[in-house]
């Protein structure tokens, strides 16, 4: 897959997918919020419906209590049933005080039953029909009889008072008759009529009339007082009822169609009102007054499962949503939120609110779709622009790729032409710089390779200038070795015979490294080799070379030199040590003699002069010559080999041949150095006087 394709896919994945996810999340969260708000509002409205039903129940119970207390006459006018209850049916509401007491709520009632008890009115005794018989005594007033109405209801005290009035009227009618009879007897006597024969009978009749009247009057007064006492107790009882009787324990019965209201006074029941309701009309009244700010539909489900709503259309909608009495809360596919709650008043019905949120959901979907479409449109515009941008970017990358291939094929002059300031442009600049550096390094590597080959050639020349074979003669055996470092150095050794047969021995070291030191070494060695046979004075020879060295060598370059000549006849060694390390002479008896410096290094301080010295050698003496590279060899820890180790090694091997001595010395130096890189040539040469 190309980089351009990956860029476009990455752009789409990082833009379209997050935008879709954000839009969907926003839509779902808004929808969830809408559902929760709608459900909470519906639950609040169902709670209000329940509270309204409670208010209706309380209002009916209070009105029933008022009717019980205040409408005594209407209660008495109601027909009493066999069990003593008085029933108000629907047809009598318009002709009784029930309609006035219950007002507009009377339409919610079907009938009312009142249960109470009242005292019965006293009965008057019948008067005697025979005048000649003494009047029987009046029976005492009977005790109040219990009826279907209790003491808190209306009494029959007016009937008792009416009976007393009748007795008083009878007494009043008798008294004038007695008076008239007496006056008639007196008139007949004055008229001359003999009334003596009637007088006893008249007197007996009058006496009896007076007794009857007195008895009637006494009985009337007793009954009058009883009536007044009953009326007084009734008024006091009615006052207490009006003040203390109240409706309590109002509860729905009979599937919610009955309302029982118990009347109490001083915590004790004194009566009961049973009202049969038109429950569906009550439920309709409750749900019809619900606000419909957001298109809510209030409904109720009666105890039988029937739907009660404000209109037939509302009832059809609720029935179409599949709401049953077991429904509590759900969301329909048509975008309705339905919440129901049991009637807290205890009617057995359930109140519910159906709120349509489909329009709001549709608006949410439209808004989310519009936002998504807008975002996709912006992404589309960006996608149109990403093609040329990605093409330009990948074009520059392609140029870089081609440049890398050219560079890999060896075209170190390859460059990338990218004119931009972005990361690709900076990468192209870095590539061009890298290519230039590689080109320079390649040139340098070529130059270094050329120099390396030249150095190898110089080393080869330097090695060729050294003796290839050991010197073997009856008066001496000589052999030398050189342990090369990485670079060409200035060490040299040489031995050769001169015209008179004497043996010349040379060991030297030019300061510095490289070609210049090698050339200086070659120059010094060639000069010595050419002049030694013709100049017998070594001090004079070295002094002349010292003066010429300053002129022909770079400033700061100098050389140490040990030049000696062995007289083959006398075994005498003449030498000049120009700043070189002390050389060793190991006697046959194991003692050691050092040959110290006799002057300054060549070229260091020209014109100081040199001293030539001699040492007599014996048959079998061993001479060991070396440069500073042998004793200044360092190991990995930075320790130097040192002249003391070399001296001890020579003492131990002074009886060995020159080959064995050199091998032991070379092995000791290599073992001490270990894996450390040598930084200077180590040159060593051994000579045994008297030959092998």
């Amino acid at each position: 897959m190309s980089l351009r394709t990956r860029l476009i896919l990455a752009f789409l994945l990082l833009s379209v997918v997050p935008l879709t996810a954000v839009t969907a999340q926003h839509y779902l969260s808004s929808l969830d919020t809408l559902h929760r708000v709608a459900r909470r509002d519906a639950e609040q409205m169902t709670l209000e419906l329940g509270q309204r039903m409670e208010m209706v129940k309380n209002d009916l119970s209070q009105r029933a209590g008022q009717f019980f207390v205040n409408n005594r006459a209407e209660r008495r006018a109601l027909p009493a049933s066999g069990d003593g209850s008085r029933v108000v049916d629907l047809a009598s509401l318009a002709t009784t005080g029930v309609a006035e007491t219950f007002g507009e709520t009377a339409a919610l009632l079907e009938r009312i039953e009142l249960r109470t008890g009242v005292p019965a009115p006293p009965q008057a005794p019948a008067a005697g029909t025979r005048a000649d018989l003494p009047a029987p005594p009046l029976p005492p007033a009977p005790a109040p009889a219990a009826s279907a109405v209790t003491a808190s209801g209306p009494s029959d005290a007016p009937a008792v008072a009416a009976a007393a009035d009748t007795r008083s009227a009878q007494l009043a009618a008798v008294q004038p008759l007695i008076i008239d009879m007496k006056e008639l007897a007196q008139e007949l006597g004055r008229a001359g009529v003999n009334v003596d024969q009637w007088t006893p009978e008249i007197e007996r009749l009058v006496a009896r009339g007076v007794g009857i009247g007195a008895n009637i009057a006494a009985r009337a007064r007793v009954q009058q007082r009883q009536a007044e006492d009953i009326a007084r107790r009734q008024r006091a009882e009615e006052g207490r009822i009006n003040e203390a009787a109240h409706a309590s324990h109002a509860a729905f019965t009979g599937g919610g169609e009955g309302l029982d209201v118990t009347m109490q006074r001083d915590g004790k029941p004194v009566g009961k009102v049973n009202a049969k309701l038109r429950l569906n009309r009550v439920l309709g009244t409750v749900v019809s007054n619900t606000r419909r700010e957001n298109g809510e539909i209030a409904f109720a489900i009666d105890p039988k499962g029937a739907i009660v709503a404000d209109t037939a259309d509302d009832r059809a909608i609720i029935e179409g949503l599949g709401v049953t009495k077991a429904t509590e809360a759900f969301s329909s596919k048509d975008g309705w939120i339905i919440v129901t709650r049991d009637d807290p008043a205890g009617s057995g019905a359930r109140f519910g609110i159906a709120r349509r949120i489909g329009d709001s959901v549709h608006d949410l979907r439209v808004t989310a779709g519009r936002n998504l479409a807008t975002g996709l449109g912006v992404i589309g515009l960006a996608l149109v622009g990403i093609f040329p941008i990605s093409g330009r970017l990948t074009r520059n990358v392609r140029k870089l790729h081609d440049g890398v291939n050219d560079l890999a094929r060896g075209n170190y002059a390859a460059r990338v032409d990218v004119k931009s300031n972005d990361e690709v442009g900076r990468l192209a600049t870095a590539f061009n710089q890298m290519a230039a550096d590689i080109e320079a390094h390649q040139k340098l590597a070529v130059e270094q390779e050329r120099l390396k080959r030249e150095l190898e050639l110089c080393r080869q020349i330097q090695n060729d200038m050294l003796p290839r074979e050991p010197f073997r003669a009856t008066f001496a055996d000589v052999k030398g070795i050189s342990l090369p470092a990485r670079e060409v150095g200035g060490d040299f050794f040489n031995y050769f015979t001169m015209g008179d047969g004497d043996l010349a021995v040379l060991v030297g070291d030019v300061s510095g490294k490289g070609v210049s030191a090698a050339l200086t070494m070659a120059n010094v060695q060639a000069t010595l080799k050419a002049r030694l046979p013709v100049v017998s004075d070594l001090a004079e020879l070295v002094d002349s070379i010292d003066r010429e060295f300053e002129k022909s060598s770079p400033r700061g370059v100098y050389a140490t030199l040990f030049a000696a000549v062995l007289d083959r006849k006398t075994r005498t060694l003449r030498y000049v040590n120009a700043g070189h390390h002390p050389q060793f002479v190991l006697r046959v008896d194991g003692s050691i003699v050092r040959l110290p410096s006799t002057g300054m290094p060549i070229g260091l301080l020209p014109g100081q002069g040199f001293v030539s010295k001699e040492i007599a050698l014996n048959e079998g003496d061993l001479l060991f010559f070396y440069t500073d590279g042998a004793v200044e060899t360092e190991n990995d820890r930075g320790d130097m080999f040192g002249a003391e180790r070399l001296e001890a090694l020579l003492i131990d091997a002074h009886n060995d041949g020159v080959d064995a001595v050199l091998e032991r010395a070379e092995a000791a130096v290599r073992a001490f150095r270990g894996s450390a890189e040598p930084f200077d040539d180590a040159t060593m040469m051994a000579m045994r006087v008297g030959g092998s």
Side-chain angles (χ1 to χ4, degrees):
M1 186 182 296
S2 65
L3 178 61
R4 185 179 184 185
T5 304
R6 282 185 289 173
L7 286 173
I8 295 173
L9 289 178
F11 173 77
L12 291 175
L13 290 176
L14 295 176
S15 58
V16 175
V17 174
L19 175 63
T20 305
V22 169
T23 304
Q25 192 274 337
H26 181 268
Y27 167 73
L28 293 177
S29 62
S30 300
L31 183 62
D32 180 66
T33 302
L34 178 63
H35 275 268
R36 285 190 284 106
V37 171
R39 180 168 296 184
R40 185 171 61 249
D41 292 345
E43 290 176 351
Q44 182 63 32
M45 294 180 71
T46 57
L47 183 61
E48 293 177 0
L49 289 175
Q51 294 173 349
R52 196 173 302 149
M53 185 67 177
E54 186 73 23
M55 293 172 61
V56 170
K57 185 189 78 170
N58 293 336
D59 182 60
L60 288 173
S61 63
Q62 293 298 327
R63 290 176 184 268
Q66 293 176 4
F67 177 77
F68 184 88
V69 173
N70 298 330
N71 298 73
R72 297 184 303 275
E74 288 80 352
R75 291 204 309 268
R76 288 195 301 271
L78 296 175
S81 61
D83 59 355
S85 63
R86 300 176 184 273
V87 180
V88 181
D89 59 12
L90 183 62
S92 65
L93 289 177
T95 59
T96 66
V98 177
E100 180 179 356
T101 300
F102 284 87
E104 67 278 4
T105 61
L108 308 179
L109 303 174
E110 184 173 342
R111 73 173 185 271
I112 299 175
E113 293 183 2
L114 305 176
R115 293 182 180 275
T116 182
V118 296
Q123 300 295 327
T129 55
R130 293 178 57 182
D132 57 345
L133 297 176
L138 290 176
S147 70
V149 182
T150 65
S152 60
S155 67
D156 291 337
V160 176
D165 293 341
T166 302
R167 294 176 183 274
S168 299
Q170 292 174 353
L171 178 60
V174 171
Q175 287 177 346
L177 177 59
I178 295 173
I179 295 172
D180 290 341
M181 290 177 66
K182 288 181 177 182
E183 291 179 351
L184 177 60
Q186 292 175 359
E187 288 293 335
L188 288 175
R190 285 192 298 270
V193 179
N194 186 13
V195 293
D196 294 335
Q197 55 179 349
W198 296 337
T199 299
E201 189 67 25
I202 291 174
E203 289 179 353
R204 186 176 59 85
L205 181 61
V206 170
R208 184 178 180 185
V210 172
I212 292 173
N215 191 14
I216 291 175
R219 291 292 181 90
R221 284 193 296 273
V222 171
Q223 292 180 358
Q224 180 66 30
R225 284 194 300 271
Q226 290 177 347
E228 290 177 355
D229 185 57
I230 290 173
R232 185 169 55 255
R233 287 198 305 270
Q234 179 181 350
R235 286 192 299 270
E237 189 73 16
E238 289 179 352
R240 285 193 298 271
I241 291 175
N242 288 335
E243 292 176 359
H246 61 277
S248 65
H249 190 60
F252 285 105
T253 60
E257 295 182 352
L259 181 65
D260 290 346
V261 182
T262 301
M263 304 304 299
Q264 291 186 351
R265 185 187 72 245
D266 297 332
K268 297 180 180 180
V270 296
K272 192 171 185 179
V273 178
N274 302 110
K276 185 176 181 180
L277 306 178
R278 293 183 175 93
L279 183 59
N280 283 3
R281 185 174 294 182
V282 173
L283 297 177
T285 301
V286 172
V287 301
S288 63
N289 295 324
T290 304
R291 64 181 187 275
R292 306 186 66 160
E293 299 175 355
N294 297 303
E296 295 89 352
I297 297 178
F299 64 92
I301 307 175
D302 65 11
K304 298 178 181 179
I307 303 297
V308 179
D310 189 22
T311 64
D313 293 338
D314 291 347
R315 184 171 62 255
I317 292 174
I318 300 303
E319 291 175 349
L321 293 175
V323 179
T324 64
K325 191 171 176 58
T327 301
E328 291 186 359
F330 72 96
S331 300
S332 70
K333 296 181 180 179
D334 299 331
W336 287 86
I337 294 292
I338 295 94
V339 177
T340 65
R341 183 190 299 272
D342 288 332
D343 178 18
S347 65
R350 287 182 72 87
F351 290 108
I353 294 293
R355 181 175 178 181
R356 181 173 178 81
I357 61 172
D359 296 337
S360 300
V361 173
H362 176 72
D363 294 341
L364 281 177
R365 290 174 180 169
V366 170
T367 302
R370 187 184 301 114
N371 293 337
L372 182 60
T374 303
L376 291 177
V378 174
I379 292 174
L381 293 176
L383 188 61
V384 172
I386 198 65
F387 280 99
I389 294 175
S390 61
R392 179 181 177 186
L393 180 61
T394 54
R395 182 171 60 251
N396 293 335
V397 174
R398 191 163 50 250
K399 289 181 179 180
L400 281 171
H401 178 265
D402 296 339
V404 170
N405 289 335
D406 289 343
L407 189 63
R409 286 191 293 265
N411 182 14
Y412 300 112
R415 301 292 185 272
V416 177
D417 184 18
V418 177
K419 298 179 180 179
S420 64
N421 296 323
D422 56 7
E423 288 78 3
V424 178
R426 291 194 290 271
L427 181 60
T429 302
F431 172 81
N432 292 335
Q433 182 63 41
M434 180 189 68
D437 293 340
I438 290 176
E439 184 178 15
H441 291 162
Q442 181 64 23
K443 291 180 180 179
L444 181 61
V446 172
E447 182 67 20
Q448 289 177 346
E449 184 65 25
R450 183 184 64 81
L451 291 175
K452 183 178 180 180
R453 289 195 299 269
E454 292 180 355
L455 289 174
E456 290 294 336
L457 181 59
C458 291
R459 179 173 291 281
Q460 185 64 37
I461 294 173
Q462 184 181 12
N463 289 334
D464 291 342
M465 294 177 64
L466 300 177
R468 296 184 179 181
E469 298 294 336
F471 178 81
R472 308 291 184 186
T474 56
F475 64 92
D477 284 348
V478 184
K479 185 179 180 180
I481 60 173
S482 181
L483 305 179
R486 286 188 172 183
E487 298 181 357
V488 177
D491 286 9
F492 68 93
F493 72 93
N494 207 340
Y495 43 85
F496 56 89
T497 58
M498 297 184 295
D500 56 1
D502 291 341
L503 181 63
V505 180
L506 301 176
V507 177
D509 186 6
V510 179
S511 65
K513 301 289 185 295
V515 178
S516 61
L519 293 176
T520 302
M521 177 272 295
N523 184 31
V524 171
Q525 185 176 195
T527 302
L528 287 171
K529 192 172 183 179
R531 293 184 181 182
L532 268 176
V534 298
V535 178
S536 59
D537 190 352
L538 290 177
E540 181 182 350
L541 176 61
V542 175
D543 184 65
S544 63
I545 294 174
D546 180 34
R547 295 178 187 276
E548 294 174 359
F549 191 89
E550 180 186 15
K551 299 176 182 179
S552 61
S553 300
R555 178 180 294 274
V557 177
Y558 61 92
T560 62
L561 174 65
F562 185 87
V565 177
L566 176 63
D567 190 328
R568 63 185 179 89
K569 297 179 179 179
T570 62
R571 307 291 196 271
T572 300
L573 184 69
R574 294 182 292 115
Y575 67 92
V576 172
N577 189 341
H580 206 69
H581 281 277
Q583 306 298 290
F584 298 116
V585 178
L586 287 91
R587 301 295 184 177
V588 177
D589 59 2
S591 61
I592 188 168
V593 178
R594 296 175 181 83
L595 305 178
S597 175
T598 61
M600 301 292 292
I602 296 174
L604 184 61
L605 294 173
Q608 297 295 320
F610 298 91
V611 176
S612 177
K613 291 187 176 182
E614 295 182 357
I615 182 172
L617 301 176
N618 300 316
E619 189 77 15
D621 287 346
L622 178 65
L623 284 80
F624 191 85
F625 309 99
Y626 62 96
T627 61
D628 58 356
V631 295
E632 292 179 359
T633 298
E634 294 184 356
N635 58 14
D636 294 335
R637 298 187 299 273
D639 299 331
M640 294 180 63
F641 185 76
E644 292 79 6
R645 284 190 176 88
L646 180 59
E647 184 178 346
L649 183 146
L650 294 175
I651 293 174
D652 186 59
H654 72 283
N655 290 324
D656 296 339
V658 293
D659 294 335
V661 171
L662 289 177
E663 289 177 0
R664 290 183 64 176
E666 180 184 359
V669 171
R670 290 184 183 275
F672 180 81
R673 187 180 65 213
S675 61
E677 292 290 340
F679 67 90
D680 196 3
D681 293 346
T683 300
M684 294 175 286
M685 185 174 59
M687 183 177 67
R688 175 75 67 181
V689 178
S692 303

